[in-house]
PDB file of all heavy atoms in Angstrom:
ATOM      1  N   THR K   1       0.840  -1.235   0.033  1.00 96.00           N
ATOM      2  CA  THR K   1       0.002  -0.054  -0.030  1.00 96.00           C
ATOM      3  C   THR K   1       0.805   1.314  -0.034  1.00 96.00           C
ATOM      4  O   THR K   1       0.656   2.176  -0.808  1.00 96.00           O
ATOM      5  CB  THR K   1      -0.997  -0.037   1.207  1.00 96.00           C
ATOM      6  OG1 THR K   1      -1.830  -1.147   1.187  1.00 96.00           O
ATOM      7  CG2 THR K   1      -1.807   1.182   1.213  1.00 96.00           C
ATOM      8  N   ASN K   2       1.852   1.200   0.834  1.00 96.00           N
ATOM      9  CA  ASN K   2       2.742   2.514   0.963  1.00 96.00           C
ATOM     10  C   ASN K   2       3.556   2.594  -0.383  1.00 96.00           C
ATOM     11  O   ASN K   2       3.691   3.797  -0.866  1.00 96.00           O
ATOM     12  CB  ASN K   2       3.798   2.315   2.005  1.00 96.00           C
ATOM     13  CG  ASN K   2       3.205   2.411   3.457  1.00 96.00           C
ATOM     14  OD1 ASN K   2       2.114   2.838   3.558  1.00 96.00           O
ATOM     15  ND2 ASN K   2       3.784   1.806   4.402  1.00 96.00           N
ATOM     16  N   PHE K   3       3.850   1.499  -1.066  1.00 97.00           N
ATOM     17  CA  PHE K   3       4.461   1.677  -2.306  1.00 97.00           C
ATOM     18  C   PHE K   3       3.566   2.258  -3.390  1.00 97.00           C
ATOM     19  O   PHE K   3       4.033   3.298  -4.100  1.00 97.00           O
ATOM     20  CB  PHE K   3       4.897   0.180  -2.888  1.00 97.00           C
ATOM     21  CG  PHE K   3       5.229   0.237  -4.258  1.00 97.00           C
ATOM     22  CD1 PHE K   3       6.411   0.648  -4.775  1.00 97.00           C
ATOM     23  CD2 PHE K   3       4.343  -0.412  -5.131  1.00 97.00           C
ATOM     24  CE1 PHE K   3       6.684   0.633  -6.132  1.00 97.00           C
ATOM     25  CE2 PHE K   3       4.623  -0.509  -6.535  1.00 97.00           C
ATOM     26  CZ  PHE K   3       5.788  -0.048  -7.010  1.00 97.00           C
ATOM     27  N   TYR K   4       2.276   1.842  -3.372  1.00 97.00           N
ATOM     28  CA  TYR K   4       1.390   2.510  -4.297  1.00 97.00           C
ATOM     29  C   TYR K   4       1.155   3.857  -4.066  1.00 97.00           C
ATOM     30  O   TYR K   4       1.069   4.769  -4.969  1.00 97.00           O
ATOM     31  CB  TYR K   4      -0.005   1.686  -4.324  1.00 97.00           C
ATOM     32  CG  TYR K   4       0.135   0.333  -4.944  1.00 97.00           C
ATOM     33  CD1 TYR K   4      -0.578  -0.746  -4.453  1.00 97.00           C
ATOM     34  CD2 TYR K   4       0.678   0.178  -6.188  1.00 97.00           C
ATOM     35  CE1 TYR K   4      -0.661  -2.026  -5.010  1.00 97.00           C
ATOM     36  CE2 TYR K   4       0.611  -1.143  -6.861  1.00 97.00           C
ATOM     37  CZ  TYR K   4       0.069  -2.201  -6.234  1.00 97.00           C
ATOM     38  OH  TYR K   4      -0.016  -3.350  -6.892  1.00 97.00           O
ATOM     39  N   GLU K   5       1.090   4.304  -2.796  1.00 96.00           N
ATOM     40  CA  GLU K   5       0.969   5.739  -2.566  1.00 96.00           C
ATOM     41  C   GLU K   5       2.181   6.503  -2.969  1.00 96.00           C
ATOM     42  O   GLU K   5       2.108   7.589  -3.410  1.00 96.00           O
ATOM     43  CB  GLU K   5       0.694   5.846  -0.925  1.00 96.00           C
ATOM     44  CG  GLU K   5      -0.694   5.429  -0.512  1.00 96.00           C
ATOM     45  CD  GLU K   5      -0.999   5.949   0.830  1.00 96.00           C
ATOM     46  OE1 GLU K   5      -1.271   7.263   1.028  1.00 96.00           O
ATOM     47  OE2 GLU K   5      -1.075   5.214   1.872  1.00 96.00           O
ATOM     48  N   ASN K   6       3.423   5.861  -2.600  1.00 95.00           N
ATOM     49  CA  ASN K   6       4.621   6.625  -3.105  1.00 95.00           C
ATOM     50  C   ASN K   6       4.711   6.736  -4.661  1.00 95.00           C
ATOM     51  O   ASN K   6       5.275   7.724  -5.175  1.00 95.00           O
ATOM     52  CB  ASN K   6       5.777   5.802  -2.723  1.00 95.00           C
ATOM     53  CG  ASN K   6       6.023   5.972  -1.101  1.00 95.00           C
ATOM     54  OD1 ASN K   6       5.580   6.806  -0.496  1.00 95.00           O
ATOM     55  ND2 ASN K   6       6.762   4.816  -0.452  1.00 95.00           N
ATOM     56  N   GLN K   7       3.959   5.816  -5.340  1.00 96.00           N
ATOM     57  CA  GLN K   7       3.864   5.881  -6.867  1.00 96.00           C
ATOM     58  C   GLN K   7       2.783   6.768  -7.328  1.00 96.00           C
ATOM     59  O   GLN K   7       2.522   6.847  -8.480  1.00 96.00           O
ATOM     60  CB  GLN K   7       3.815   4.415  -7.261  1.00 96.00           C
ATOM     61  CG  GLN K   7       5.022   3.548  -7.159  1.00 96.00           C
ATOM     62  CD  GLN K   7       6.265   3.989  -7.873  1.00 96.00           C
ATOM     63  OE1 GLN K   7       6.214   4.294  -9.031  1.00 96.00           O
ATOM     64  NE2 GLN K   7       7.425   4.254  -7.184  1.00 96.00           N
ATOM     65  N   ASN K   8       2.123   7.339  -6.313  1.00 96.00           N
ATOM     66  CA  ASN K   8       0.837   8.117  -6.607  1.00 96.00           C
ATOM     67  C   ASN K   8      -0.143   7.256  -7.482  1.00 96.00           C
ATOM     68  O   ASN K   8      -0.797   7.752  -8.361  1.00 96.00           O
ATOM     69  CB  ASN K   8       1.331   9.369  -7.495  1.00 96.00           C
ATOM     70  CG  ASN K   8       0.146  10.557  -7.478  1.00 96.00           C
ATOM     71  OD1 ASN K   8      -0.552  10.479  -6.545  1.00 96.00           O
ATOM     72  ND2 ASN K   8       0.131  11.233  -8.493  1.00 96.00           N
ATOM     73  N   GLN K   9      -0.524   6.054  -6.787  1.00 97.00           N
ATOM     74  CA  GLN K   9      -1.509   5.185  -7.524  1.00 97.00           C
ATOM     75  C   GLN K   9      -2.468   4.948  -6.286  1.00 97.00           C
ATOM     76  O   GLN K   9      -2.635   3.652  -5.833  1.00 97.00           O
ATOM     77  CB  GLN K   9      -0.821   3.974  -7.991  1.00 97.00           C
ATOM     78  CG  GLN K   9       0.058   4.236  -9.116  1.00 97.00           C
ATOM     79  CD  GLN K   9       0.821   2.959  -9.663  1.00 97.00           C
ATOM     80  OE1 GLN K   9       1.392   2.162  -8.820  1.00 97.00           O
ATOM     81  NE2 GLN K   9       0.778   2.753 -10.913  1.00 97.00           N
ATOM     82  N   PRO K  10      -3.292   5.889  -5.936  1.00 97.00           N
ATOM     83  CA  PRO K  10      -4.175   5.626  -4.821  1.00 97.00           C
ATOM     84  C   PRO K  10      -5.263   4.628  -4.964  1.00 97.00           C
ATOM     85  O   PRO K  10      -5.639   3.957  -4.152  1.00 97.00           O
ATOM     86  CB  PRO K  10      -4.765   6.942  -4.485  1.00 97.00           C
ATOM     87  CG  PRO K  10      -4.605   7.758  -5.707  1.00 97.00           C
ATOM     88  CD  PRO K  10      -3.341   7.245  -6.354  1.00 97.00           C
ATOM     89  N   GLU K  11      -5.673   4.451  -6.239  1.00 97.00           N
ATOM     90  CA  GLU K  11      -6.657   3.437  -6.463  1.00 97.00           C
ATOM     91  C   GLU K  11      -6.078   2.058  -6.211  1.00 97.00           C
ATOM     92  O   GLU K  11      -6.918   1.160  -5.692  1.00 97.00           O
ATOM     93  CB  GLU K  11      -7.119   3.566  -8.035  1.00 97.00           C
ATOM     94  CG  GLU K  11      -7.736   4.906  -8.275  1.00 97.00           C
ATOM     95  CD  GLU K  11      -9.184   5.033  -7.814  1.00 97.00           C
ATOM     96  OE1 GLU K  11      -9.711   4.087  -7.289  1.00 97.00           O
ATOM     97  OE2 GLU K  11      -9.709   6.230  -8.134  1.00 97.00           O
ATOM     98  N   LYS K  12      -4.931   1.810  -6.740  1.00 97.00           N
ATOM     99  CA  LYS K  12      -4.327   0.610  -6.394  1.00 97.00           C
ATOM    100  C   LYS K  12      -4.066   0.300  -4.807  1.00 97.00           C
ATOM    101  O   LYS K  12      -4.139  -0.828  -4.370  1.00 97.00           O
ATOM    102  CB  LYS K  12      -2.982   0.402  -7.141  1.00 97.00           C
ATOM    103  CG  LYS K  12      -3.004   0.105  -8.563  1.00 97.00           C
ATOM    104  CD  LYS K  12      -1.706  -0.305  -9.232  1.00 97.00           C
ATOM    105  CE  LYS K  12      -1.920  -0.811 -10.686  1.00 97.00           C
ATOM    106  NZ  LYS K  12      -0.548  -1.131 -11.115  1.00 97.00           N
ATOM    107  N   ALA K  13      -3.675   1.486  -4.150  1.00 97.00           N
ATOM    108  CA  ALA K  13      -3.529   1.384  -2.794  1.00 97.00           C
ATOM    109  C   ALA K  13      -4.760   0.863  -2.000  1.00 97.00           C
ATOM    110  O   ALA K  13      -4.802   0.027  -1.200  1.00 97.00           O
ATOM    111  CB  ALA K  13      -3.099   2.711  -2.191  1.00 97.00           C
ATOM    112  N   ILE K  14      -5.954   1.387  -2.455  1.00 97.00           N
ATOM    113  CA  ILE K  14      -7.182   1.040  -1.997  1.00 97.00           C
ATOM    114  C   ILE K  14      -7.530  -0.388  -2.233  1.00 97.00           C
ATOM    115  O   ILE K  14      -7.922  -1.168  -1.364  1.00 97.00           O
ATOM    116  CB  ILE K  14      -8.302   2.018  -2.469  1.00 97.00           C
ATOM    117  CG1 ILE K  14      -8.121   3.413  -1.831  1.00 97.00           C
ATOM    118  CG2 ILE K  14      -9.690   1.504  -2.110  1.00 97.00           C
ATOM    119  CD1 ILE K  14      -9.083   4.393  -2.454  1.00 97.00           C
ATOM    120  N   GLY K  15      -7.300  -0.812  -3.462  1.00 96.00           N
ATOM    121  CA  GLY K  15      -7.514  -2.187  -3.837  1.00 96.00           C
ATOM    122  C   GLY K  15      -6.639  -3.198  -2.963  1.00 96.00           C
ATOM    123  O   GLY K  15      -7.146  -4.247  -2.569  1.00 96.00           O
ATOM    124  N   SER K  16      -5.393  -2.865  -2.751  1.00 96.00           N
ATOM    125  CA  SER K  16      -4.542  -3.755  -1.913  1.00 96.00           C
ATOM    126  C   SER K  16      -5.099  -3.745  -0.493  1.00 96.00           C
ATOM    127  O   SER K  16      -5.157  -4.932   0.152  1.00 96.00           O
ATOM    128  CB  SER K  16      -3.085  -3.006  -1.869  1.00 96.00           C
ATOM    129  OG  SER K  16      -2.316  -3.613  -0.904  1.00 96.00           O
ATOM    130  N   LEU K  17      -5.543  -2.620   0.063  1.00 96.00           N
ATOM    131  CA  LEU K  17      -6.139  -2.681   1.378  1.00 96.00           C
ATOM    132  C   LEU K  17      -7.445  -3.456   1.522  1.00 96.00           C
ATOM    133  O   LEU K  17      -7.619  -4.170   2.455  1.00 96.00           O
ATOM    134  CB  LEU K  17      -6.368  -1.214   1.891  1.00 96.00           C
ATOM    135  CG  LEU K  17      -5.046  -0.445   2.266  1.00 96.00           C
ATOM    136  CD1 LEU K  17      -5.321   1.083   2.278  1.00 96.00           C
ATOM    137  CD2 LEU K  17      -4.522  -0.937   3.527  1.00 96.00           C
ATOM    138  N   GLU K  18      -8.240  -3.329   0.447  1.00 96.00           N
ATOM    139  CA  GLU K  18      -9.569  -4.090   0.470  1.00 96.00           C
ATOM    140  C   GLU K  18      -9.319  -5.512   0.396  1.00 96.00           C
ATOM    141  O   GLU K  18      -9.908  -6.380   1.042  1.00 96.00           O
ATOM    142  CB  GLU K  18     -10.335  -3.570  -0.727  1.00 96.00           C
ATOM    143  CG  GLU K  18     -11.048  -2.235  -0.518  1.00 96.00           C
ATOM    144  CD  GLU K  18     -11.755  -1.817  -1.731  1.00 96.00           C
ATOM    145  OE1 GLU K  18     -11.387  -1.925  -2.899  1.00 96.00           O
ATOM    146  OE2 GLU K  18     -13.033  -1.339  -1.384  1.00 96.00           O
ATOM    147  N   GLU K  19      -8.217  -5.889  -0.386  1.00 95.00           N
ATOM    148  CA  GLU K  19      -7.897  -7.367  -0.453  1.00 95.00           C
ATOM    149  C   GLU K  19      -7.399  -7.902   0.888  1.00 95.00           C
ATOM    150  O   GLU K  19      -7.763  -8.919   1.352  1.00 95.00           O
ATOM    151  CB  GLU K  19      -6.813  -7.502  -1.414  1.00 95.00           C
ATOM    152  CG  GLU K  19      -6.142  -8.889  -1.585  1.00 95.00           C
ATOM    153  CD  GLU K  19      -4.936  -9.006  -2.497  1.00 95.00           C
ATOM    154  OE1 GLU K  19      -4.835  -8.166  -3.505  1.00 95.00           O
ATOM    155  OE2 GLU K  19      -4.066  -9.831  -2.263  1.00 95.00           O
ATOM    156  N   GLY K  20      -6.571  -7.025   1.542  1.00 95.00           N
ATOM    157  CA  GLY K  20      -6.077  -7.423   2.878  1.00 95.00           C
ATOM    158  C   GLY K  20      -7.160  -7.495   3.987  1.00 95.00           C
ATOM    159  O   GLY K  20      -7.160  -8.393   4.758  1.00 95.00           O
ATOM    160  N   GLN K  21      -8.171  -6.510   3.796  1.00 94.00           N
ATOM    161  CA  GLN K  21      -9.232  -6.514   4.828  1.00 94.00           C
ATOM    162  C   GLN K  21     -10.151  -7.808   4.616  1.00 94.00           C
ATOM    163  O   GLN K  21     -10.533  -8.524   5.541  1.00 94.00           O
ATOM    164  CB  GLN K  21     -10.162  -5.236   4.603  1.00 94.00           C
ATOM    165  CG  GLN K  21     -11.439  -5.311   5.279  1.00 94.00           C
ATOM    166  CD  GLN K  21     -11.421  -5.489   6.724  1.00 94.00           C
ATOM    167  OE1 GLN K  21     -10.385  -5.276   7.439  1.00 94.00           O
ATOM    168  NE2 GLN K  21     -12.519  -5.775   7.429  1.00 94.00           N
ATOM    169  N   ARG K  22     -10.367  -8.152   3.380  1.00 94.00           N
ATOM    170  CA  ARG K  22     -11.155  -9.442   3.074  1.00 94.00           C
ATOM    171  C   ARG K  22     -10.360 -10.626   3.621  1.00 94.00           C
ATOM    172  O   ARG K  22     -11.010 -11.573   4.209  1.00 94.00           O
ATOM    173  CB  ARG K  22     -11.487  -9.599   1.670  1.00 94.00           C
ATOM    174  CG  ARG K  22     -12.416  -8.621   0.938  1.00 94.00           C
ATOM    175  CD  ARG K  22     -12.867  -8.985  -0.551  1.00 94.00           C
ATOM    176  NE  ARG K  22     -11.734  -9.134  -1.258  1.00 94.00           N
ATOM    177  CZ  ARG K  22     -11.353  -7.976  -1.995  1.00 94.00           C
ATOM    178  NH1 ARG K  22     -12.174  -6.865  -1.858  1.00 94.00           N
ATOM    179  NH2 ARG K  22     -10.443  -8.031  -2.863  1.00 94.00           N
ATOM    180  N   ARG K  23      -9.188 -10.643   3.457  1.00 94.00           N
ATOM    181  CA  ARG K  23      -8.300 -11.798   3.878  1.00 94.00           C
ATOM    182  C   ARG K  23      -8.019 -11.873   5.430  1.00 94.00           C
ATOM    183  O   ARG K  23      -8.141 -13.051   5.890  1.00 94.00           O
ATOM    184  CB  ARG K  23      -7.037 -11.709   3.101  1.00 94.00           C
ATOM    185  CG  ARG K  23      -6.141 -12.987   3.237  1.00 94.00           C
ATOM    186  CD  ARG K  23      -4.919 -12.912   2.468  1.00 94.00           C
ATOM    187  NE  ARG K  23      -4.009 -13.971   2.668  1.00 94.00           N
ATOM    188  CZ  ARG K  23      -2.882 -14.179   1.847  1.00 94.00           C
ATOM    189  NH1 ARG K  23      -2.487 -13.261   0.943  1.00 94.00           N
ATOM    190  NH2 ARG K  23      -2.069 -15.130   2.149  1.00 94.00           N
ATOM    191  N   LEU K  24      -7.908 -10.701   6.018  1.00 95.00           N
ATOM    192  CA  LEU K  24      -7.357 -10.721   7.393  1.00 95.00           C
ATOM    193  C   LEU K  24      -8.380 -10.265   8.332  1.00 95.00           C
ATOM    194  O   LEU K  24      -8.276 -10.496   9.602  1.00 95.00           O
ATOM    195  CB  LEU K  24      -6.090  -9.791   7.565  1.00 95.00           C
ATOM    196  CG  LEU K  24      -4.923 -10.223   6.598  1.00 95.00           C
ATOM    197  CD1 LEU K  24      -3.845  -9.196   6.632  1.00 95.00           C
ATOM    198  CD2 LEU K  24      -4.360 -11.534   7.090  1.00 95.00           C
ATOM    199  N   GLN K  25      -9.372  -9.614   7.933  1.00 94.00           N
ATOM    200  CA  GLN K  25     -10.516  -9.071   8.710  1.00 94.00           C
ATOM    201  C   GLN K  25      -9.933  -8.234   9.822  1.00 94.00           C
ATOM    202  O   GLN K  25     -10.195  -8.436  11.041  1.00 94.00           O
ATOM    203  CB  GLN K  25     -11.344 -10.279   9.336  1.00 94.00           C
ATOM    204  CG  GLN K  25     -12.146 -11.070   8.258  1.00 94.00           C
ATOM    205  CD  GLN K  25     -13.158 -10.180   7.584  1.00 94.00           C
ATOM    206  OE1 GLN K  25     -14.105  -9.713   8.255  1.00 94.00           O
ATOM    207  NE2 GLN K  25     -13.154 -10.173   6.186  1.00 94.00           N
ATOM    208  N   ARG K  26      -9.202  -7.132   9.498  1.00 94.00           N
ATOM    209  CA  ARG K  26      -8.488  -6.379  10.564  1.00 94.00           C
ATOM    210  C   ARG K  26      -9.233  -4.914  10.396  1.00 94.00           C
ATOM    211  O   ARG K  26      -9.172  -4.388   9.433  1.00 94.00           O
ATOM    212  CB  ARG K  26      -7.065  -6.128  10.243  1.00 94.00           C
ATOM    213  CG  ARG K  26      -6.136  -7.432  10.347  1.00 94.00           C
ATOM    214  CD  ARG K  26      -6.225  -7.928  11.786  1.00 94.00           C
ATOM    215  NE  ARG K  26      -5.524  -9.164  12.045  1.00 94.00           N
ATOM    216  CZ  ARG K  26      -4.123  -9.186  12.326  1.00 94.00           C
ATOM    217  NH1 ARG K  26      -3.445  -8.170  12.347  1.00 94.00           N
ATOM    218  NH2 ARG K  26      -3.596 -10.432  12.410  1.00 94.00           N
ATOM    219  N   ASN K  27      -9.787  -4.549  11.620  1.00 95.00           N
ATOM    220  CA  ASN K  27     -10.442  -3.249  11.610  1.00 95.00           C
ATOM    221  C   ASN K  27      -9.520  -2.136  11.296  1.00 95.00           C
ATOM    222  O   ASN K  27      -9.954  -1.070  10.625  1.00 95.00           O
ATOM    223  CB  ASN K  27     -11.059  -3.038  13.014  1.00 95.00           C
ATOM    224  CG  ASN K  27     -12.076  -1.818  12.959  1.00 95.00           C
ATOM    225  OD1 ASN K  27     -12.817  -1.625  12.097  1.00 95.00           O
ATOM    226  ND2 ASN K  27     -11.849  -0.976  14.084  1.00 95.00           N
ATOM    227  N   ALA K  28      -8.245  -2.241  11.581  1.00 94.00           N
ATOM    228  CA  ALA K  28      -7.311  -1.161  11.287  1.00 94.00           C
ATOM    229  C   ALA K  28      -7.308  -0.813   9.814  1.00 94.00           C
ATOM    230  O   ALA K  28      -6.953   0.273   9.366  1.00 94.00           O
ATOM    231  CB  ALA K  28      -5.871  -1.572  11.627  1.00 94.00           C
ATOM    232  N   MET K  29      -7.614  -1.795   8.925  1.00 95.00           N
ATOM    233  CA  MET K  29      -7.547  -1.628   7.533  1.00 95.00           C
ATOM    234  C   MET K  29      -8.673  -0.769   7.017  1.00 95.00           C
ATOM    235  O   MET K  29      -8.581  -0.142   5.950  1.00 95.00           O
ATOM    236  CB  MET K  29      -7.505  -2.900   6.652  1.00 95.00           C
ATOM    237  CG  MET K  29      -6.111  -3.702   6.863  1.00 95.00           C
ATOM    238  SD  MET K  29      -6.015  -5.085   5.948  1.00 95.00           S
ATOM    239  CE  MET K  29      -4.205  -5.363   5.824  1.00 95.00           C
ATOM    240  N   HIS K  30      -9.797  -0.767   7.809  1.00 97.00           N
ATOM    241  CA  HIS K  30     -10.871   0.180   7.423  1.00 97.00           C
ATOM    242  C   HIS K  30     -10.348   1.537   7.577  1.00 97.00           C
ATOM    243  O   HIS K  30     -10.537   2.461   6.701  1.00 97.00           O
ATOM    244  CB  HIS K  30     -12.048  -0.101   8.543  1.00 97.00           C
ATOM    245  CG  HIS K  30     -12.870  -1.177   8.261  1.00 97.00           C
ATOM    246  ND1 HIS K  30     -13.231  -2.025   9.099  1.00 97.00           N
ATOM    247  CD2 HIS K  30     -13.383  -1.674   7.042  1.00 97.00           C
ATOM    248  CE1 HIS K  30     -14.034  -3.033   8.646  1.00 97.00           C
ATOM    249  NE2 HIS K  30     -14.101  -2.806   7.367  1.00 97.00           N
ATOM    250  N   TYR K  31      -9.529   1.828   8.594  1.00 97.00           N
ATOM    251  CA  TYR K  31      -9.013   3.160   8.825  1.00 97.00           C
ATOM    252  C   TYR K  31      -8.155   3.605   7.615  1.00 97.00           C
ATOM    253  O   TYR K  31      -8.265   4.763   7.065  1.00 97.00           O
ATOM    254  CB  TYR K  31      -8.302   3.392  10.081  1.00 97.00           C
ATOM    255  CG  TYR K  31      -7.508   4.712  10.151  1.00 97.00           C
ATOM    256  CD1 TYR K  31      -8.225   5.897  10.387  1.00 97.00           C
ATOM    257  CD2 TYR K  31      -6.239   4.659   9.896  1.00 97.00           C
ATOM    258  CE1 TYR K  31      -7.568   7.135  10.457  1.00 97.00           C
ATOM    259  CE2 TYR K  31      -5.583   5.968   9.878  1.00 97.00           C
ATOM    260  CZ  TYR K  31      -6.179   7.065  10.201  1.00 97.00           C
ATOM    261  OH  TYR K  31      -5.615   8.286  10.234  1.00 97.00           O
ATOM    262  N   GLN K  32      -7.190   2.659   7.240  1.00 96.00           N
ATOM    263  CA  GLN K  32      -6.401   2.895   6.274  1.00 96.00           C
ATOM    264  C   GLN K  32      -7.011   3.174   4.827  1.00 96.00           C
ATOM    265  O   GLN K  32      -6.483   4.082   4.079  1.00 96.00           O
ATOM    266  CB  GLN K  32      -5.275   1.697   6.046  1.00 96.00           C
ATOM    267  CG  GLN K  32      -4.305   1.576   7.300  1.00 96.00           C
ATOM    268  CD  GLN K  32      -3.522   2.656   7.495  1.00 96.00           C
ATOM    269  OE1 GLN K  32      -3.179   3.521   6.690  1.00 96.00           O
ATOM    270  NE2 GLN K  32      -3.335   2.807   8.851  1.00 96.00           N
ATOM    271  N   ILE K  33      -8.024   2.418   4.612  1.00 97.00           N
ATOM    272  CA  ILE K  33      -8.753   2.732   3.317  1.00 97.00           C
ATOM    273  C   ILE K  33      -9.354   4.240   3.341  1.00 97.00           C
ATOM    274  O   ILE K  33      -9.330   4.942   2.426  1.00 97.00           O
ATOM    275  CB  ILE K  33      -9.945   1.699   3.146  1.00 97.00           C
ATOM    276  CG1 ILE K  33      -9.312   0.217   2.943  1.00 97.00           C
ATOM    277  CG2 ILE K  33     -10.890   2.101   1.932  1.00 97.00           C
ATOM    278  CD1 ILE K  33     -10.264  -0.799   2.892  1.00 97.00           C
ATOM    279  N   GLY K  34      -9.978   4.472   4.515  1.00 97.00           N
ATOM    280  CA  GLY K  34     -10.539   5.775   4.625  1.00 97.00           C
ATOM    281  C   GLY K  34      -9.480   6.808   4.477  1.00 97.00           C
ATOM    282  O   GLY K  34      -9.722   7.914   3.947  1.00 97.00           O
ATOM    283  N   LYS K  35      -8.303   6.562   5.028  1.00 97.00           N
ATOM    284  CA  LYS K  35      -7.201   7.676   5.048  1.00 97.00           C
ATOM    285  C   LYS K  35      -6.806   7.900   3.484  1.00 97.00           C
ATOM    286  O   LYS K  35      -6.650   9.068   3.160  1.00 97.00           O
ATOM    287  CB  LYS K  35      -5.961   7.074   5.803  1.00 97.00           C
ATOM    288  CG  LYS K  35      -4.740   7.868   5.658  1.00 97.00           C
ATOM    289  CD  LYS K  35      -3.600   7.118   6.304  1.00 97.00           C
ATOM    290  CE  LYS K  35      -2.338   7.951   6.246  1.00 97.00           C
ATOM    291  NZ  LYS K  35      -1.751   7.856   4.927  1.00 97.00           N
TER     292      LYS K  35
END
C-alpha cells in the first residue's frame, strides 16, 4: 500500500487494502482505506 501511495497510485493502494481486509478481517485496515 505504501509503495502504491509513493507511486501516486491511490486506486491501487485502496485495492490492496480491500484485499487485505477481506483476507485478514482487521479493523485497522478500514481506517487505512478511509485515510
